[in-house]
Amino acid sequence: RRAGGGAPASSFVRHHLTTSRIELITSTEAKGWTYFVVFSDAGPDHMGTYVDRFRCEDGQWLIAHRRVKIHWDSPETVLHRQR
C-alpha cells in the first residue's frame, strides 16, 4: 500500500501507442490522432485516443495541444487509484 493508506501501487504500467494518423493543414500546422492502450498489473487497464495539434517551429514539429479521450477503462484501472 502507498503511504497514507491509499490503494496499492501498481507493480508496472506499460503504455503502448498503436495507429497514428496525421493530416497537414498548412506547411507549419497539422492535426493528428494516435490510439493507445495501457496495461498494468490489472491486465488491460485503459485505452483511448490522443487528439493532437502540431506546429512547426524552427524546422521541428512540436505538439501544440493534446486532448486525451479515454474510450474504455477496467474497474481496477490505475486511473481510479488514489495518489
Side-chain angles (χ1 to χ4, degrees):
R1 289 198 169 273
R2 291 183 173 190
S10 288
S11 59
F12 74 95
V13 176
R14 300 293 183 267
H15 184 215
H16 299 272
L17 302 177
T18 63
T19 306
S20 292
R21 176 181 168 191
I22 298 174
E23 294 180 1
L24 289 174
I25 299 169
T26 69
S27 62
T28 59
E29 296 177 59
K31 59 184 176 179
W33 301 263
T34 301
Y35 298 95
F36 66 87
V37 61
V38 176
F39 293 90
S40 71
D41 50 359
D45 195 274
H46 60 281
M47 67 178 77
T49 306
Y50 291 128
V51 181
D52 296 322
R53 281 187 288 133
F54 303 97
R55 72 172 178 266
C56 186
E57 290 184 6
D58 300 322
Q60 292 189 333
W61 283 94
L62 307 170
I63 297 172
H65 181 265
R66 171 168 278 176
R67 186 177 73 188
V68 180
K69 295 171 64 175
I70 302 296
H71 300 289
W72 174 84
D73 61 2
S74 162
E76 285 83 37
T77 180
V78 296
L79 294 174
H80 300 295
R81 295 184 181 176
Q82 294 179 354
R83 294 183 179 154

mmCIF file of all heavy atoms in Angstrom, residues 55-79:
data_model
loop_
_atom_site.group_PDB
_atom_site.id
_atom_site.type_symbol
_atom_site.label_atom_id
_atom_site.label_comp_id
_atom_site.label_asym_id
_atom_site.label_seq_id
_atom_site.Cartn_x
_atom_site.Cartn_y
_atom_site.Cartn_z
ATOM 1 N N ARG A 55 2.585 22.040 -34.513
ATOM 2 C CA ARG A 55 3.085 23.218 -35.232
ATOM 3 C C ARG A 55 4.580 23.046 -35.451
ATOM 4 O O ARG A 55 5.279 22.418 -34.651
ATOM 5 C CB ARG A 55 2.773 24.508 -34.485
ATOM 6 C CG ARG A 55 3.575 24.725 -33.239
ATOM 7 C CD ARG A 55 3.330 26.133 -32.676
ATOM 8 N NE ARG A 55 4.076 26.282 -31.451
ATOM 9 C CZ ARG A 55 3.613 26.070 -30.235
ATOM 10 N NH1 ARG A 55 2.359 25.704 -30.073
ATOM 11 N NH2 ARG A 55 4.379 26.213 -29.186
ATOM 12 N N CYS A 56 5.047 23.585 -36.539
ATOM 13 C CA CYS A 56 6.464 23.513 -36.884
ATOM 14 C C CYS A 56 7.122 24.833 -36.506
ATOM 15 O O CYS A 56 6.687 25.896 -36.945
ATOM 16 C CB CYS A 56 6.620 23.250 -38.381
ATOM 17 S SG CYS A 56 8.334 22.969 -38.866
ATOM 18 N N GLU A 57 8.147 24.746 -35.658
ATOM 19 C CA GLU A 57 8.908 25.919 -35.233
ATOM 20 C C GLU A 57 10.385 25.633 -35.441
ATOM 21 O O GLU A 57 10.897 24.629 -34.936
ATOM 22 C CB GLU A 57 8.660 26.240 -33.757
ATOM 23 C CG GLU A 57 7.278 26.755 -33.461
ATOM 24 C CD GLU A 57 7.120 27.155 -32.004
ATOM 25 O OE1 GLU A 57 8.106 27.141 -31.247
ATOM 26 O OE2 GLU A 57 5.982 27.473 -31.626
ATOM 27 N N ASP A 58 11.043 26.499 -36.165
ATOM 28 C CA ASP A 58 12.482 26.351 -36.419
ATOM 29 C C ASP A 58 12.818 24.973 -36.983
ATOM 30 O O ASP A 58 13.809 24.349 -36.607
ATOM 31 C CB ASP A 58 13.300 26.627 -35.152
ATOM 32 C CG ASP A 58 13.099 28.033 -34.618
ATOM 33 O OD1 ASP A 58 12.988 28.967 -35.456
ATOM 34 O OD2 ASP A 58 13.051 28.208 -33.387
ATOM 35 N N GLY A 59 11.944 24.466 -37.860
ATOM 36 C CA GLY A 59 12.194 23.185 -38.503
ATOM 37 C C GLY A 59 11.853 21.956 -37.675
ATOM 38 O O GLY A 59 12.074 20.836 -38.119
ATOM 39 N N GLN A 60 11.309 22.131 -36.465
ATOM 40 C CA GLN A 60 10.938 20.997 -35.609
ATOM 41 C C GLN A 60 9.429 20.994 -35.370
ATOM 42 O O GLN A 60 8.843 22.034 -35.055
ATOM 43 C CB GLN A 60 11.650 21.076 -34.257
ATOM 44 C CG GLN A 60 13.130 20.878 -34.346
ATOM 45 C CD GLN A 60 13.740 20.749 -32.956
ATOM 46 O OE1 GLN A 60 13.225 21.271 -31.979
ATOM 47 N NE2 GLN A 60 14.846 20.030 -32.886
ATOM 48 N N TRP A 61 8.841 19.806 -35.519
ATOM 49 C CA TRP A 61 7.405 19.664 -35.259
ATOM 50 C C TRP A 61 7.196 19.437 -33.772
ATOM 51 O O TRP A 61 7.826 18.567 -33.167
ATOM 52 C CB TRP A 61 6.839 18.508 -36.075
ATOM 53 C CG TRP A 61 6.658 18.886 -37.508
ATOM 54 C CD1 TRP A 61 7.540 18.679 -38.527
ATOM 55 C CD2 TRP A 61 5.544 19.582 -38.058
ATOM 56 N NE1 TRP A 61 7.038 19.195 -39.688
ATOM 57 C CE2 TRP A 61 5.800 19.757 -39.437
ATOM 58 C CE3 TRP A 61 4.353 20.067 -37.540
ATOM 59 C CZ2 TRP A 61 4.916 20.383 -40.293
ATOM 60 C CZ3 TRP A 61 3.468 20.698 -38.389
ATOM 61 C CH2 TRP A 61 3.749 20.852 -39.745
ATOM 62 N N LEU A 62 6.296 20.238 -33.184
ATOM 63 C CA LEU A 62 6.003 20.179 -31.754
ATOM 64 C C LEU A 62 4.509 19.950 -31.544
ATOM 65 O O LEU A 62 3.686 20.354 -32.366
ATOM 66 C CB LEU A 62 6.398 21.499 -31.077
ATOM 67 C CG LEU A 62 7.827 21.983 -31.322
ATOM 68 C CD1 LEU A 62 7.990 23.395 -30.797
ATOM 69 C CD2 LEU A 62 8.813 21.032 -30.660
ATOM 70 N N ILE A 63 4.167 19.326 -30.411
ATOM 71 C CA ILE A 63 2.758 19.190 -30.047
ATOM 72 C C ILE A 63 2.319 20.520 -29.446
ATOM 73 O O ILE A 63 2.827 20.945 -28.405
ATOM 74 C CB ILE A 63 2.538 18.038 -29.051
ATOM 75 C CG1 ILE A 63 2.922 16.705 -29.691
ATOM 76 C CG2 ILE A 63 1.082 18.017 -28.573
ATOM 77 C CD1 ILE A 63 2.917 15.529 -28.732
ATOM 78 N N ALA A 64 1.382 21.190 -30.107
ATOM 79 C CA ALA A 64 0.883 22.479 -29.625
ATOM 80 C C ALA A 64 -0.260 22.296 -28.633
ATOM 81 O O ALA A 64 -0.440 23.094 -27.715
ATOM 82 C CB ALA A 64 0.421 23.328 -30.807
ATOM 83 N N HIS A 65 -1.046 21.233 -28.828
ATOM 84 C CA HIS A 65 -2.181 20.962 -27.944
ATOM 85 C C HIS A 65 -2.492 19.472 -27.997
ATOM 86 O O HIS A 65 -2.404 18.867 -29.066
ATOM 87 C CB HIS A 65 -3.411 21.757 -28.392
ATOM 88 C CG HIS A 65 -4.598 21.536 -27.526
ATOM 89 N ND1 HIS A 65 -5.566 20.606 -27.811
ATOM 90 C CD2 HIS A 65 -4.964 22.121 -26.361
ATOM 91 C CE1 HIS A 65 -6.484 20.628 -26.863
ATOM 92 N NE2 HIS A 65 -6.140 21.537 -25.973
ATOM 93 N N ARG A 66 -2.845 18.902 -26.851
ATOM 94 C CA ARG A 66 -3.215 17.484 -26.804
ATOM 95 C C ARG A 66 -4.476 17.320 -25.975
ATOM 96 O O ARG A 66 -4.581 17.842 -24.868
ATOM 97 C CB ARG A 66 -2.095 16.645 -26.199
ATOM 98 C CG ARG A 66 -2.538 15.195 -25.928
ATOM 99 C CD ARG A 66 -1.395 14.303 -25.621
ATOM 100 N NE ARG A 66 -0.812 13.909 -26.904
ATOM 101 C CZ ARG A 66 0.285 13.170 -27.020
ATOM 102 N NH1 ARG A 66 0.925 12.785 -25.941
ATOM 103 N NH2 ARG A 66 0.748 12.848 -28.209
ATOM 104 N N ARG A 67 -5.423 16.580 -26.531
ATOM 105 C CA ARG A 67 -6.620 16.175 -25.790
ATOM 106 C C ARG A 67 -6.574 14.658 -25.672
ATOM 107 O O ARG A 67 -6.300 13.966 -26.659
ATOM 108 C CB ARG A 67 -7.883 16.620 -26.530
ATOM 109 C CG ARG A 67 -9.150 16.338 -25.727
ATOM 110 C CD ARG A 67 -10.351 16.854 -26.446
ATOM 111 N NE ARG A 67 -10.598 15.951 -27.584
ATOM 112 C CZ ARG A 67 -11.478 16.184 -28.525
ATOM 113 N NH1 ARG A 67 -12.176 17.291 -28.538
ATOM 114 N NH2 ARG A 67 -11.658 15.317 -29.503
ATOM 115 N N VAL A 68 -6.835 14.143 -24.499
ATOM 116 C CA VAL A 68 -6.836 12.700 -24.271
ATOM 117 C C VAL A 68 -8.279 12.247 -24.116
ATOM 118 O O VAL A 68 -9.008 12.754 -23.259
ATOM 119 C CB VAL A 68 -6.026 12.326 -23.004
ATOM 120 C CG1 VAL A 68 -6.053 10.820 -22.789
ATOM 121 C CG2 VAL A 68 -4.605 12.840 -23.108
ATOM 122 N N LYS A 69 -8.682 11.321 -24.976
ATOM 123 C CA LYS A 69 -10.029 10.749 -24.898
ATOM 124 C C LYS A 69 -9.900 9.301 -24.429
ATOM 125 O O LYS A 69 -9.266 8.493 -25.109
ATOM 126 C CB LYS A 69 -10.701 10.807 -26.267
ATOM 127 C CG LYS A 69 -10.964 12.221 -26.760
ATOM 128 C CD LYS A 69 -11.431 12.270 -28.189
ATOM 129 C CE LYS A 69 -12.752 11.609 -28.396
ATOM 130 N NZ LYS A 69 -13.252 11.758 -29.785
ATOM 131 N N ILE A 70 -10.465 8.986 -23.282
ATOM 132 C CA ILE A 70 -10.458 7.609 -22.772
ATOM 133 C C ILE A 70 -11.719 6.922 -23.296
ATOM 134 O O ILE A 70 -12.839 7.381 -23.059
ATOM 135 C CB ILE A 70 -10.432 7.576 -21.228
ATOM 136 C CG1 ILE A 70 -9.214 8.325 -20.689
ATOM 137 C CG2 ILE A 70 -10.482 6.142 -20.716
ATOM 138 C CD1 ILE A 70 -7.879 7.713 -21.059
ATOM 139 N N HIS A 71 -11.531 5.802 -24.006
ATOM 140 C CA HIS A 71 -12.659 5.067 -24.583
ATOM 141 C C HIS A 71 -13.117 3.917 -23.697
ATOM 142 O O HIS A 71 -14.267 3.491 -23.794
ATOM 143 C CB HIS A 71 -12.286 4.510 -25.963
ATOM 144 C CG HIS A 71 -11.911 5.571 -26.940
ATOM 145 N ND1 HIS A 71 -12.813 6.441 -27.483
ATOM 146 C CD2 HIS A 71 -10.712 5.918 -27.458
ATOM 147 C CE1 HIS A 71 -12.198 7.270 -28.308
ATOM 148 N NE2 HIS A 71 -10.919 6.976 -28.302
ATOM 149 N N TRP A 72 -12.221 3.396 -22.885
ATOM 150 C CA TRP A 72 -12.558 2.252 -22.034
ATOM 151 C C TRP A 72 -11.563 2.194 -20.884
ATOM 152 O O TRP A 72 -10.393 2.539 -21.049
ATOM 153 C CB TRP A 72 -12.464 0.944 -22.837
ATOM 154 C CG TRP A 72 -12.662 -0.267 -21.997
ATOM 155 C CD1 TRP A 72 -13.847 -0.839 -21.636
ATOM 156 C CD2 TRP A 72 -11.636 -1.054 -21.377
ATOM 157 N NE1 TRP A 72 -13.616 -1.928 -20.838
ATOM 158 C CE2 TRP A 72 -12.261 -2.081 -20.668
ATOM 159 C CE3 TRP A 72 -10.241 -0.975 -21.347
ATOM 160 C CZ2 TRP A 72 -11.566 -3.033 -19.935
ATOM 161 C CZ3 TRP A 72 -9.548 -1.918 -20.619
ATOM 162 C CH2 TRP A 72 -10.203 -2.932 -19.936
ATOM 163 N N ASP A 73 -12.049 1.793 -19.705
ATOM 164 C CA ASP A 73 -11.134 1.500 -18.599
ATOM 165 C C ASP A 73 -11.657 0.336 -17.779
ATOM 166 O O ASP A 73 -12.851 0.087 -17.701
ATOM 167 C CB ASP A 73 -10.839 2.731 -17.744
ATOM 168 C CG ASP A 73 -12.063 3.328 -17.093
ATOM 169 O OD1 ASP A 73 -13.176 2.793 -17.248
ATOM 170 O OD2 ASP A 73 -11.918 4.352 -16.413
ATOM 171 N N SER A 74 -10.730 -0.388 -17.198
ATOM 172 C CA SER A 74 -11.021 -1.542 -16.360
ATOM 173 C C SER A 74 -11.529 -1.065 -14.997
ATOM 174 O O SER A 74 -11.133 0.007 -14.541
ATOM 175 C CB SER A 74 -9.730 -2.356 -16.177
ATOM 176 O OG SER A 74 -9.839 -3.225 -15.082
ATOM 177 N N PRO A 75 -12.341 -1.850 -14.317
ATOM 178 C CA PRO A 75 -12.737 -1.483 -12.952
ATOM 179 C C PRO A 75 -11.540 -1.358 -12.008
ATOM 180 O O PRO A 75 -11.606 -0.631 -11.021
ATOM 181 C CB PRO A 75 -13.654 -2.636 -12.518
ATOM 182 C CG PRO A 75 -14.151 -3.234 -13.794
ATOM 183 C CD PRO A 75 -13.040 -3.054 -14.795
ATOM 184 N N GLU A 76 -10.439 -2.030 -12.316
ATOM 185 C CA GLU A 76 -9.227 -1.954 -11.492
ATOM 186 C C GLU A 76 -8.183 -0.997 -12.064
ATOM 187 O O GLU A 76 -7.018 -1.045 -11.697
ATOM 188 C CB GLU A 76 -8.589 -3.345 -11.343
ATOM 189 C CG GLU A 76 -9.336 -4.260 -10.383
ATOM 190 C CD GLU A 76 -10.516 -4.942 -11.075
ATOM 191 O OE1 GLU A 76 -10.390 -5.287 -12.258
ATOM 192 O OE2 GLU A 76 -11.553 -5.076 -10.427
ATOM 193 N N THR A 77 -8.584 -0.109 -12.936
ATOM 194 C CA THR A 77 -7.637 0.767 -13.615
ATOM 195 C C THR A 77 -6.799 1.611 -12.656
ATOM 196 O O THR A 77 -7.277 1.999 -11.591
ATOM 197 C CB THR A 77 -8.361 1.707 -14.604
ATOM 198 O OG1 THR A 77 -7.403 2.529 -15.240
ATOM 199 C CG2 THR A 77 -9.376 2.574 -13.914
ATOM 200 N N VAL A 78 -5.592 1.907 -13.084
ATOM 201 C CA VAL A 78 -4.731 2.804 -12.303
ATOM 202 C C VAL A 78 -5.286 4.231 -12.332
ATOM 203 O O VAL A 78 -4.899 5.056 -11.499
ATOM 204 C CB VAL A 78 -3.268 2.785 -12.804
ATOM 205 C CG1 VAL A 78 -2.645 1.418 -12.605
ATOM 206 C CG2 VAL A 78 -3.172 3.226 -14.251
ATOM 207 N N LEU A 79 -6.200 4.525 -13.241
ATOM 208 C CA LEU A 79 -6.787 5.867 -13.311
ATOM 209 C C LEU A 79 -7.615 6.195 -12.065
ATOM 210 O O LEU A 79 -7.763 7.359 -11.703
ATOM 211 C CB LEU A 79 -7.700 6.000 -14.541
ATOM 212 C CG LEU A 79 -7.047 5.937 -15.902
ATOM 213 C CD1 LEU A 79 -8.111 5.940 -16.995
ATOM 214 C CD2 LEU A 79 -6.102 7.096 -16.088
#
